[in-house]
Amino acid sequence: MEIDRKTFLDSLGGPEAASRMDSEARADALESHMMAQLNRAKTGDPAWDQIKPEKYPTVAEVEAQIETRKYREGVGFMYVPRTGENVRRLPPMPANPTLFDFFKFRFMDTSNHVLQSANLAMKNGMKEEIILACLLHDVVQEIIRTDHGWWGAQLFEPYVPEKVSFAIRYHQALRYYPDPSVGYEYPDLYRQLFGADYVPPPYIEATYQMVRKHPWYMDARLVTVNDLYAFDPNAVVSIEPFIDIIGRHFKQPKEGLGNDGSPVAHMWRTIARPDQPL
Ligand SMILES: [Fe+2]
Ligand SMILES: [Fe+2]
């Protein structure tokens, strides 16, 4: 299926609104849009006329896009805005910042996506650890996107139950592998993003093989299930519904995130002070 770019962007509130979404949210939106098109097609709606045969890029074509950009795709959203605009001055952080402060003042480009994902997990009756993992699974993409599952797990490891960081770490690798038992299929979108002939690198394959045999496999898998369809362009989700879950499972350090001397405190400081040169 080839999508009509203008129709798609209009459905997100225009190109400007779309440009403010992180790429994963945009990816999920694209998928919802494509599903809507397919449903219309099934019911004989005239929108079917707009659907043309799909052509995904090849891996070589995706690689050729690298030199068309001013940035590398792995860099975090708060460090290099994809809008091409100048960065904005960020609000100051409180002296002892909490997870809520980071959601409020720093997770600008990722919070909508993760809140919607956690909301979906809650609606689907997931257990609290899964809901928390969904709420946290992509926020590290504010600073770095490459291997964001591993970076994200590391960021949260000292503060959450082990199963939560496990689920965050491995959702990244599992997204490439279908699991019909929970209705998870390889996203068409990945053919678009990585190329139709893309094969995940050996470490991703090896990680998948390890995780699928692990007793906690389903914890990571359920993040991918609630991740994929998380985007609804009209939904505005707040952090309010998750306050109790965070309170029960997130060990907020009293000195504040970044000030507690933990092995990952520097990562929180990097998010809190992105304009610090050294
Ligand atoms: Fe992710
Ligand atoms: Fe995600």
Side-chain angles (χ1 to χ4, degrees), residues 21-30 77 113 137-138 141 145 148 171 175 189-190 193 227-228 231:
M21 294 162 61
D22 73 59
S23 65
E24 192 152 344
R26 216 158 33 219
D28 289 340
L30 179 58
F77 297 113
H113 169 66
H137 78 283
D138 277 342
Q141 291 189 42
R145 302 185 63 221
H148 73 282
H171 89 275
R175 285 200 74 167
L189 201 58
Y190 277 22
L193 292 178
D227 187 11
L228 191 62
F231 189 81

Side-chain angles (χ1 to χ4, degrees), residues 107-256:
F107 298 161
M108 317 290 196
D109 287 286
T110 54
S111 59
N112 200 33
H113 169 66
V114 295
L115 284 167
Q116 289 194 24
S117 174
N119 198 44
L120 183 67
M122 196 177 246
K123 267 198 224 151
N124 285 338
M126 297 289 120
K127 60 182 183 178
E128 293 193 345
E129 286 87 347
I130 302 291
I131 296 170
L132 183 61
C134 287
L135 183 69
L136 307 176
H137 78 283
D138 277 342
V139 297
V140 83
Q141 291 189 42
E142 296 288 353
I143 49 173
I144 186 154
R145 302 185 63 221
T146 307
D147 267 336
H148 73 282
W150 276 269
W151 284 100
Q154 188 179 355
L155 181 68
F156 289 110
E157 214 146 31
Y159 314 109
V160 297
E162 206 180 337
K163 268 189 187 176
V164 173
S165 54
F166 180 93
I168 296 171
R169 178 173 292 111
Y170 296 122
H171 89 275
Q172 178 202 333
L174 294 191
R175 285 200 74 167
Y176 297 97
Y177 301 91
D179 183 345
S181 81
V182 286
Y184 182 84
E185 291 176 15
Y186 185 83
D188 272 348
L189 201 58
Y190 277 22
R191 296 186 177 98
Q192 187 75 40
L193 292 178
F194 297 102
D197 49 339
Y198 181 72
V199 178
Y203 79 93
I204 291 285
E205 170 71 22
T207 299
Y208 167 65
Q209 294 300 343
M210 181 279 287
V211 176
R212 69 196 279 249
K213 292 182 207 109
H214 195 285
W216 296 354
Y217 164 72
M218 205 38 83
D219 292 77
R221 172 55 75 191
L222 288 173
V223 172
T224 73
V225 170
N226 290 284
D227 187 11
L228 191 62
Y229 301 108
F231 189 81
D232 171 354
N234 300 313
V236 178
V237 188
S238 88
I239 199 150
E240 301 296 319
F242 310 109
I243 287 177
D244 289 346
I245 291 177
I246 293 170
R248 278 192 285 274
H249 303 283
F250 188 88
K251 281 181 263 158
Q252 171 67 42
K254 61 181 185 318
E255 309 89 329

